[in-house]
């Protein structure tokens, strides 16, 4: 079947099997491999992307369900001039990533957390990221990164291609 | 000021944060165009005779190119046990021939054009089995009633040490004994296993796989497939975590390479998470008995640790981990008598391998549990009991009764720092107040001290190589045989070169994980990388400066001894005459400026520390919540504090996870109960506090950097501290011991049992 969606600002139309997951569509059909797949039970959040302003786990969405949607992946988060999004910059400055496998989903989920709550506490960040698993960092520096990103203001909860994001 | 010891942010991060890293499943190498997808057909039964495997229907399924069973692999010899002291009868088939031995044992492989077709086709393979009784747990294995490998005649894979002499505890006023479980856990790197393989027209195979050491994996694959090592080119792209479970090749990697040959097409394989949780090596899995004796005034006189290691269905690294546990049995303590004995047993479960700490956390958990039980028995504060028995500060190497030679240490200072930073006295006062008030939420305080062995292969003479080349454009390249998968070597190794040459970190590229470019290397495991690979880079940079000085001396018509490095301009200057200089880049333009060197550390290093964990336990539900973790982790000189702290954080979290939450479970028939991340309680951000790290750095004399390993220390210290804190939170209710993971149910049951007066008194008093 044919599916059309706007991915990182670009209109994409492709043939997909009805059962194809959005995560596989992004990775295998569109070559956007920053989005990773870490489980098969919607538990790890490595595949988190933003669809129409909502951070969602793309392993739990069929590509067809994203018909007509605005999708932002990690590749679409930095500015056109290459300037890092405040969440990306904070993940680097606070050492919020090690092996990097959870990072794409963790960054996108963090944008969602900050969209819903621009000034979260340590505990609120932890609860907001409960569905995103990391084995390397013990979450300590991820939490620090999200708190640091929040200092940038509302822009930390926004993505370039859509106006509003909420958790 | 040297760049060493400063908080340099990672140079690898911009790519990871904008385009993502390139993991094995992300590869777009043109040689993999048209690759087939491999899907394994795995046993759903723990132990059975195979009556038949019917692949006809699967071969007709859409997209199927081939289906392979053991009958197609008769030219490959079986996989011999990984260590010579394990009986040859414990051999493993590439694909099961007549017996399956755990849920996940591979029976067939389907190759399909597309990813999704593989799962469809795999379901069409019909396997007829005659179910046998399953062996689950070391106690059942030890009975030898059902034997996994009848030709071996026993489930005992290996045995180490002798029983303690009968008079071992003579003279002790108090002796306490306790069975302790160091439960099986799953490493769960976020990236599951993945590999790709393609054969070239030159008869060489290129294998990409997610692994902690390309060179070791290459050697293993070549040996298994009967290939000359020169015919295997192994590449580890970015690797999404390892934690010990990606040490060495797995049979699947070699088999995929072999099937690429048989099918004449490139082949890719990426396992699912449920496949990963049932077939990637698990960690820990020790059943221990600790016995400790001493005087009523707190002096331990004798300590014994007897371990049964669950080896799983086929022998892997797990079989030898008890030897590391035995080596580290006395930990930080100066016990006059120490005894350790162990064996490893085959069970119908996933094979056991290394997991962060690998043998040492089990030793620390055991001795720390024993110290707490001893302290409770004599009614002494656990911190005081530890202080009485710790090895005093030493500057000259200290050799233990188990034969480990600790390089440098000050365990009392580490304990004191942790206690002070935690506000130990105030915590005890708060705990007492809550107990007196009968609060619903009780406070528990757990202490651990630890020492562990890192760079255990130091002194084996193999060393670690580094190659450093400065280019005419002022950049430099470092080649290393270590193998980062999150540790940040690209940044730290660049810092080590920059420290000597002045070339900025962002102009230094660190390459690793390609056996054609870097034929020798030990990989990254056992917290060895900085003290070996990092030290090699340092040595290469020092040697490169010497080479450059000789060449600059000619050019500048100066004595080499009069030349100094100007770090600001990455050049050599004549001392006192800054105008007379030549840069490393200019020298490289004249003639290649490159050094290849090998650093061999004299011996292993022994990082140490102390952790204090504070938990709040809801006595009604048994739920324990970690509210604070204060850690002193002394790994010698720190090169990049930002990254070293990151290693500690991750380690601490994995220790908390084992103490409180995580456990791989099987039912009595060997069916996995935790085969998805919905079932396996992988620790999340909500279950952890932010961590309180205390600095302490006692350099080692074993390498010029003064660095010990930091990768595993956090896990080794935090696991017993948290377990101890949970037990401490309900100790006033009569609870003496709770096995890990200290789940709500376990704690609640322990409280109920204690209050009913049914708590078994496992200790005995002489």
């Amino acid at each position: 079947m044919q599916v059309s969606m706007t991915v990182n600002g670009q209109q994409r139309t492709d043939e997909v099997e009805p059962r194809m997951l959005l995560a596989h569509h992004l990775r295998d059909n569109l070559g956007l491999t920053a989005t990773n797949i870490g489980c098969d039970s919607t538990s790890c959040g490595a595949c988190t992307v933003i669809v129409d302003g909502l951070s969602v786990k793309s392993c739990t969405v069929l590509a067809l369900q994203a018909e007509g949607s605005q999708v932002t992946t990690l590749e679409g988060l930095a500015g056109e001039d290459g300037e890092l999004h405040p969440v990306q910059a904070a993940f680097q400055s606070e050492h919020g990533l090690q092996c990097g496998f959870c990072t794409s989903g963790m960054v996108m989920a963090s944008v969602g957390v900050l969209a819903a709550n621009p000034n979260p506490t340590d505990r609120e960040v932890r609860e907001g990221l409960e569905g995103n698993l990391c084995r390397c960092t013990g979450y300590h520096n991820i939490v620090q990164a999200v708190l640091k990103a929040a200092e940038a203001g509302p822009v930390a909860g926004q993505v370039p291609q859509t106006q509003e994001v909420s958790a | 000021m040297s760049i060493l010891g400063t908080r340099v942010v990672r140079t690898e991060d911009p790519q990871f944060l904008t385009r993502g890293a390139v993991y094995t499943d992300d590869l777009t190498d043109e040689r993999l165009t048209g690759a087939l997808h491999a899907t394994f057909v795995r046993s759903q039964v723990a132990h059975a005779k195979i009556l038949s495997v019917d692949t006809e229907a699967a071969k007709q399924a859409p997209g199927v190119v081939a289906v392979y069973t053991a009958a197609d692999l008769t030219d490959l010899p079986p996989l011999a046990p990984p260590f010579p002291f394990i009986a040859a009868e414990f051999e493993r088939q590439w694909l099961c021939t007549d017996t399956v031995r755990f849920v996940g044992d591979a029976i067939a492989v389907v190759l399909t054009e597309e990813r999704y077709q593989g799962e469809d086709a795999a379901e069409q393979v019909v396997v007829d089995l005659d179910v046998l009784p399953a062996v689950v747990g070391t106690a059942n294995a030890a009975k030898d009633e059902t034997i996994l490998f009848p030709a071996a005649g026993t489930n005992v894979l290996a045995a180490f040490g002798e029983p303690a002499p009968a008079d071992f505890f003579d003279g002790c006023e108090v002796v306490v004994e306790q069975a302790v479980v160091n439960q099986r856990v799953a490493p769960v790197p976020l990236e599951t296993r993945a590999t790709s393989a393609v054969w070239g027209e030159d008869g060489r195979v290129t294998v990409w796989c997610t692994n902690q050491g390309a060179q070791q994996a290459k050697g293993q694959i070549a040996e298994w497939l009967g290939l000359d090592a020169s015919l295997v080119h192994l590449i580890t792209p970015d690797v999404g975590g390892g934690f010990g479970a990606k040490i060495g090749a797995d049979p699947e990697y070699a088999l995929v390479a072999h099937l690429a040959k048989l099918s004449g097409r490139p082949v890719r394989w990426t396992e699912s998470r449920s496949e990963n949780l049932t077939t990637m090596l698990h960690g820990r899995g020790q059943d221990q008995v600790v016995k400790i004796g001493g005087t009523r005034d707190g002096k331990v006189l004798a300590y014994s640790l007897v371990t049964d290691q669950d080896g799983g269905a086929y022998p892997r690294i797990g079989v030898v981990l008890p030897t590391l546990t035995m080596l580290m049995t006395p930990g930080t303590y100066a016990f006059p008598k120490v005894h350790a004995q162990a064996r490893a047993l085959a069970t119908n479960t996933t094979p056991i391998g290394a997991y962060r700490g690998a043998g040492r956390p089990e030793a620390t958990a055991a001795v720390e549990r024993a110290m707490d039980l001893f302290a409770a028995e004599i009614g002494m504060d656990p911190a005081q009991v530890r202080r009485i028995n710790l090895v005093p500060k030493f500057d000259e190497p200290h050799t233990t009764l188990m034969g480990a030679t600790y390089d440098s240490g000050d365990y009392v200072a580490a304990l004191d720092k942790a206690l002070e930073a935690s506000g130990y006295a105030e915590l005890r006062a708060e705990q007492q107040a809550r107990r007196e008030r009968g609060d619903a939420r009780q406070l528990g305080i757990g202490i651990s001290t630890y020492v562990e062995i890192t760079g255990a292969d130091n002194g084996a003479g193999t060393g670690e190589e580094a190659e450093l080349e400065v280019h005419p454009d002022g950049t430099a390249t470092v080649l290393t045989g270590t193998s980062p998968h999150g540790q940040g070597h690209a940044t730290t190794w660049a810092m080590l070169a920059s420290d000597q040459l002045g070339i900025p970190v962002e102009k230094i590229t660190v390459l690793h994980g390609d056996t054609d470019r870097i034929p020798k290397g030990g990989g990254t495991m056992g917290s060895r990388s900085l003290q070996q690979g990092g030290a090699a880079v340092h040595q290469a940079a020092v040697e490169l400066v010497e080479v450059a000085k000789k060449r600059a001396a000619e050019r500048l018509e100066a004595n080499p001894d009069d030349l100094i490095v100007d770090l600001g301009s990455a050049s050599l200057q004549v001392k006192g005459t800054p105008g007379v200089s030549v840069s490393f880049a200019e020298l490289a333009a004249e003639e290649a400026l490159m050094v290849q060197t090998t650093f061999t550390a004299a011996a292993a290093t022994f990082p140490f520390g102390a952790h204090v964990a504070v938990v709040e336990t809801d006595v009604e539900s048994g739920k324990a919540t970690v509210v604070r973790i204060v850690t002193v982790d002394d790994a010698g000189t720190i090169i990049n504090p930002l990254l070293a702290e990151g290693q500690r954080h991750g380690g601490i979290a994995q220790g908390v996870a084992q103490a409180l939450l995580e456990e791989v479970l099987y039912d009595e028939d060997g069916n996995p109960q935790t085969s998805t991340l919905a079932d396996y309680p992988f620790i999340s951000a909500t279950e952890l506090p932010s961590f309180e790290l205390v600095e302490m750095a006692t350099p080692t004399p074993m390498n010029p950097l003064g660095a010990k390993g930091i990768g595993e220390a956090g896990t080794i210290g935090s696991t017993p501290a948290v377990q101890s804190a949970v037990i401490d939170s309900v100790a006033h209710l009569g609870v003496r011991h709770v096995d890990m993971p200290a789940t709500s149910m376990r704690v609640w049951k322990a409280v109920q049992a204690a209050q009913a007066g049914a708590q078994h008194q496992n200790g005995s008093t002489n």
Side-chain angles (χ1 to χ4, degrees):
Chain A
M1 295 178 74
Q2 210 172 55
V3 65
S4 295
M5 62 187 82
T6 306
V7 181
N8 298 333
Q10 287 189 313
Q11 179 71 22
R12 304 296 300 255
T13 301
D14 298 88
E15 280 292 325
V16 298
E17 267 192 84
R19 62 175 170 171
M20 177 164 259
L21 302 174
L22 178 59
H24 280 131
H25 178 54
L26 294 170
R27 290 177 52 79
D28 295 350
N29 293 339
L30 306 185
L32 297 170
T33 53
T35 299
N36 293 316
I37 298 172
C39 75
D40 42 19
S41 52
T42 320
S43 306
C44 81
C47 63
T48 304
V49 299
I50 291 176
V51 180
D52 296 332
L54 287 170
S55 67
V56 301
K57 295 180 177 179
S58 64
C59 73
T60 315
V61 179
L62 297 171
L64 289 176
Q65 289 176 293
E67 171 70 33
S69 291
Q70 298 268 343
V71 179
T72 305
T73 70
L74 185 78
E75 291 96 332
L77 199 56
E80 284 184 8
D81 56 356
E83 187 188 354
L84 295 181
H85 184 279
V87 173
Q88 290 171 314
F91 266 69
Q92 182 178 23
S93 70
E94 304 307 304
H95 188 34
L97 66 154
Q98 290 183 28
C99 84
F101 200 84
C102 77
T103 304
S104 173
M106 200 64 86
V107 166
M108 302 314 280
S110 298
V111 173
V113 168
L114 291 170
N117 183 353
N119 291 298
T121 62
D122 179 299
R123 184 48 49 185
E124 287 167 345
V125 172
R126 289 177 181 278
E127 283 167 8
L129 295 177
E130 186 178 17
N132 288 74
L133 300 179
C134 171
R135 202 52 150 177
C136 296
T137 65
Y139 306 101
H140 181 105
N141 283 344
I142 289 174
V143 174
Q144 296 305 310
V146 178
L147 295 175
K148 173 89 174 170
E151 294 173 10
V155 66
Q158 295 168 358
V159 296
Q161 283 79 29
T162 52
Q163 283 72 46
E164 285 183 29
V165 181
S166 55
Chain B
M1 188 186 119
S2 170
I3 192 172
L4 303 188
T6 65
R7 304 171 73 83
V8 177
V9 298
R10 297 205 315 179
T11 54
E12 48 270 69
D13 286 358
Q15 187 204 324
F16 280 33
L17 284 162
T18 57
R19 302 189 302 283
V22 179
Y23 305 104
T24 298
D25 195 54
D26 299 338
L27 291 168
T28 54
D29 191 290
E30 62 182 18
R31 286 171 289 175
L32 293 172
T33 305
L36 299 170
H37 293 268
T39 304
F40 283 81
V41 177
R42 296 184 180 276
S43 177
Q44 303 298 309
V45 172
H47 197 195
K49 284 282 171 202
I50 297 176
L51 302 177
S52 66
V53 180
D54 182 352
T55 62
E56 285 313 307
K59 283 176 176 167
Q60 305 308 316
V64 172
V65 173
V67 182
Y68 298 99
T69 65
D72 302 302
L73 304 174
T74 48
D75 53 332
L76 286 184
L79 297 150
F83 303 100
F85 53 82
I86 301 173
E89 288 77 12
F90 291 103
E91 70 180 16
R92 182 176 189 172
Q93 306 297 329
W94 290 93
L95 295 171
C96 296
T97 51
D98 59 348
T99 307
V100 293
R101 292 190 176 85
F102 72 103
V103 171
D105 220 350
I107 297 168
V109 185
V110 178
L111 297 186
T112 56
E113 296 286 353
E114 292 175 29
R115 196 190 292 267
Y116 286 10
Q117 292 166 340
E119 287 185 51
D120 294 342
E123 288 179 2
Q124 303 292 316
V125 175
V126 180
V127 183
D128 194 10
L129 298 171
D130 184 12
V131 176
L132 298 168
V135 178
V136 178
T138 59
N140 279 330
K143 291 176 192 164
D144 272 345
E145 289 171 359
T146 298
I147 293 178
L148 270 71
F149 297 83
T154 176
N155 290 321
V156 178
L157 294 161
F160 311 98
E162 302 294 329
D167 61 354
F168 193 70
F169 289 95
D170 285 3
C172 295
E173 294 168 8
V174 178
V175 177
V176 189
E177 185 173 353
Q178 176 71 49
V180 174
V181 177
N182 203 293
Q183 83 274 23
R184 174 190 289 250
V185 293
V188 205
L190 258 281
E191 183 200 17
T192 59
R193 288 179 300 168
T195 189
S196 303
V198 61
W199 290 76
E201 289 175 0
D202 58 359
R204 297 185 79 213
V205 62
T206 301
V207 175
W208 293 262
C209 65
T210 177
N211 197 268
Q212 293 174 227
Q215 294 79 11
Q216 182 184 342
K218 168 193 154 167
Q220 214 162 10
I221 288 172
E223 185 186 330
W224 281 340
L225 297 182
L227 297 169
D228 189 274
S230 67
L231 296 177
V232 179
H233 179 197
L234 195 135
I235 300 167
T236 51
D238 290 323
V239 172
F243 311 107
K246 292 179 182 171
I247 297 173
D250 283 335
E252 285 93 337
Y253 294 168
L255 187 53
V256 165
H258 186 66
L259 298 185
K261 187 174 199 176
L262 291 189
S263 67
R265 298 263 300 267
V267 178
R268 312 180 74 129
W269 173 63
T270 300
E271 68 181 348
S272 69
R273 177 59 67 189
S274 45
E275 188 175 20
N276 171 269
L277 280 166
T278 46
T279 62
M280 187 190 222
L281 298 175
H282 290 158
R284 312 284 193 260
Q286 289 190 358
D287 295 304
Q288 305 168 325
V289 176
V290 297
K291 195 169 180 184
I292 189 166
T295 64
R296 291 215 163 267
D297 60 2
K299 181 75 183 161
V300 175
L301 298 178
Y303 171 59
S304 163
L305 171 62
V306 177
T307 300
D308 275 345
Q309 170 77 54
D310 192 339
Y314 298 100
R316 295 289 299 270
I317 301 171
V319 176
V320 295
L321 294 184
T323 62
L324 275 174
T325 308
M326 291 168 71
L327 180 71
M328 298 311 296
T329 296
T332 51
Y333 303 108
F335 300 147
K337 285 200 281 185
V338 178
H339 164 257
Q341 185 190 4
R343 59 186 171 170
L345 299 124
T347 63
N348 291 116
T349 59
T350 303
I352 294 274
Y355 175 58
R356 205 164 194 165
R360 297 100 82 200
E362 297 90 327
T364 304
V367 74
E368 291 303 287
R369 197 76 277 284
M371 290 300 277
D372 279 351
L373 287 162
F374 180 67
E377 191 68 26
I378 62 173
M380 186 178 280
D381 184 286
Q384 182 58 17
V385 169
R386 283 170 172 78
R387 199 177 277 112
I388 289 170
N389 291 285
L390 286 171
V391 176
K393 181 180 193 302
F394 56 96
D395 297 317
E396 294 298 315
H398 167 88
T399 300
T400 73
L401 292 176
M402 295 306 296
T405 300
Y406 300 167
D407 53 340
S408 60
D410 189 351
Y411 309 145
V412 178
L415 175 62
D416 286 343
K417 276 175 182 281
L419 293 174
E420 186 188 345
S422 69
Y424 185 67
E426 292 81 4
L427 287 169
R428 285 288 175 208
E430 166 71 11
Q431 177 184 53
Q432 189 56 34
R434 290 197 196 191
R435 286 178 175 179
E436 285 168 8
R437 289 196 301 266
D439 282 7
R441 291 177 70 82
Q442 289 291 327
L443 205 65
I445 306 151
I447 300 165
S448 74
T449 67
Y450 70 88
V451 58
E452 62 130 342
I453 178 170
T454 66
D457 60 325
N458 290 3
T462 48
E464 189 64 62
E465 286 193 7
E467 185 180 309
L468 172 61
E469 181 170 11
V470 177
H471 307 293
D473 63 358
T475 64
T477 305
V478 172
L479 271 57
T480 178
T482 56
S483 189
H485 39 285
Q487 295 84 353
H489 296 176
T491 305
T492 308
W493 279 209
M495 288 169 71
L496 291 164
S498 179
D499 170 60
Q500 296 296 317
L501 306 176
I503 297 173
V505 163
E506 53 274 15
K507 289 190 172 181
I508 302 172
T509 303
V510 177
L511 301 176
H512 58 87
D514 182 324
T515 59
D516 273 10
R517 295 202 67 176
I518 309 160
K520 290 174 73 178
T524 288
M525 58 205 69
S527 302
R528 68 185 294 278
S529 294
L530 180 60
Q531 59 190 301
Q532 297 193 336
V537 172
H538 167 78
Q539 181 169 298
V542 170
E543 290 178 8
L544 188 135
V545 168
E546 292 310 307
V547 170
K549 276 183 179 174
K550 285 198 185 106
R551 283 163 47 179
E554 285 179 28
R555 176 169 165 149
L556 300 175
E557 295 178 346
N559 185 328
D561 295 338
D562 291 337
L563 295 176
I564 55 167
V565 176
D566 179 57
L567 292 174
S569 60
S571 63
L572 291 167
Q573 289 178 354
V574 177
K575 212 181 295 177
T577 318
V580 183
S581 72
V582 58
S583 70
F584 291 112
E586 287 167 329
L587 291 171
E590 289 177 351
E591 183 189 344
L593 185 55
M594 193 263 274
V595 158
Q596 194 172 37
T597 193
T598 302
F599 173 76
T600 307
T605 61
F606 292 81
F608 61 92
H611 287 201
V612 176
V614 183
V615 305
E616 279 186 347
T617 301
D618 181 332
V619 177
E620 294 296 313
S621 70
K623 182 173 171 54
T625 305
V626 179
V627 292
R628 289 179 66 197
I629 298 229
V630 180
T631 83
V632 175
D633 300 296
D634 188 327
T637 307
I638 301 298
I639 305 301
N640 186 331
L642 187 68
L643 305 194
E645 288 164 14
Q647 289 297 307
R648 291 167 71 183
H649 293 154
I652 292 165
Q654 280 171 281
V656 177
Q658 187 184 3
L660 281 189
L661 298 167
E662 295 185 16
E663 179 171 31
V664 172
L665 291 169
Y666 293 90
D667 71 11
E668 61 186 10
D669 296 322
N671 297 304
Q673 308 294 294
T674 48
S675 59
T676 72
L677 281 183
D679 295 321
Y680 186 77
F682 188 114
I683 197 162
S684 76
T686 57
E687 289 147 332
L688 290 162
S690 286
F691 309 128
E692 301 169 53
L693 307 188
V694 182
E695 302 314 317
M696 181 167 173
T698 307
T700 178
M702 298 303 168
N703 61 70
L705 303 176
K708 308 186 187 188
I710 191 63
E712 297 156 291
T715 304
I716 292 166
S718 69
T719 309
V722 173
Q723 182 188 19
S724 171
V726 176
I727 296 166
D728 185 59
S729 71
V730 289
H732 63 296
L733 303 175
V735 175
R736 293 176 70 246
H737 177 73
V738 180
D739 270 319
M740 299 188 294
T743 57
S744 304
M745 179 63 86
R746 278 226 173 95
V747 175
W748 183 82
K749 279 185 176 172
V751 170
Q752 297 305 309
Q755 291 187 330
Q759 171 87 345
H760 289 292
Q761 297 296 313
N762 289 321
S764 62
T765 303
N766 289 355

